[in-house]
Amino acid sequence: MRVSVISPERSLFDGEADAVVAPAFDGQVGILPRHAPLMTLLGEGILNVQGKGESTRFRVAGGFLQVVGDAVRIVAGKAENA
């Protein structure tokens, strides 16, 4: 699935991934390929993007996560590499 992570300052990640684990406002949410459409607010914590045997982690706070088709878009109010 295609994953993009965007902060107000820049694009942090844009690529293929096998799984995403994100801090939603009310707990962790896991996204796998072919996930049902979803939109949720982000809380504060670690966003983990897993793919090709490696994991990329970001510290995020606020914003939203959207799943449409085979794309996951994360627009964070604050984001940095963790």
Side-chain angles (χ1 to χ4, degrees):
M1 67 186 160
R2 188 73 176 184
V3 177
S4 59
V5 180
I6 301 166
S7 76
E9 293 84 28
R10 63 191 166 110
S11 174
L12 296 164
F13 183 90
D14 188 20
E16 294 296 317
D18 298 324
V20 174
V21 178
F25 75 101
D26 59 350
Q28 296 288 320
V29 62
I31 309 293
L32 295 172
R34 296 181 299 281
H35 194 284
L38 171 72
M39 177 140 231
T40 188
L41 293 173
L42 288 177
E44 188 172 334
I46 299 296
L47 167 69
N48 193 359
V49 179
Q50 302 167 358
K52 297 181 185 173
E54 60 185 50
S55 180
T56 306
R57 295 166 44 103
F58 305 97
R59 182 171 308 280
V60 298
F64 68 90
L65 178 145
Q66 177 187 41
V67 180
V68 176
D70 204 30
V72 179
R73 293 178 190 92
I74 295 120
V75 179
K78 290 175 137 182
E80 61 186 19
N81 291 325

